[in-house]
Amino acid sequence: MAIRRTIWNLLFGCRHRELSRAFTNQGETYKVCLKCGAHLPYSWETMTVVPERERKRKAGARS
Ligand SMILES: [Zn+2]
């Protein structure tokens, strides 16, 4: 299960699925993991936590 956990971490930043509601602060929208406190960027467009690779792709397109 270690590999699956690693993939989950890459996608969502942590392995938990118990998240707070979405917060918006200083232009950043995110959910907070209730287990470990990780901040997970959240998209109102897709109504989901934004995967890490998607964030990197968008950041690259912007610069
Ligand atoms: Zn967590």
Side-chain angles (χ1 to χ4, degrees), residues 14 16 33 36:
C14 81
H16 306 118
C33 177
C36 73

Side-chain angles (χ1 to χ4, degrees), residues 7-58:
I7 291 169
W8 185 265
N9 287 347
L10 285 172
L11 289 176
F12 297 107
C14 81
R15 63 190 172 89
H16 306 118
R17 304 189 69 169
E18 295 175 50
L19 304 178
S20 73
R21 70 175 185 84
F23 297 96
T24 301
N25 185 29
Q26 296 181 335
E28 300 271 350
T29 302
Y30 56 88
K31 289 193 169 190
V32 177
C33 177
L34 298 177
K35 292 287 186 182
C36 73
H39 287 197
L40 308 174
Y42 180 81
S43 171
W44 290 116
E45 293 176 21
T46 59
M47 303 296 282
T48 60
V49 172
V50 181
E52 181 71 32
R53 58 194 164 93
E54 187 75 6
R55 274 178 261 151
K56 284 180 177 169
R57 193 170 63 81
K58 284 186 177 172

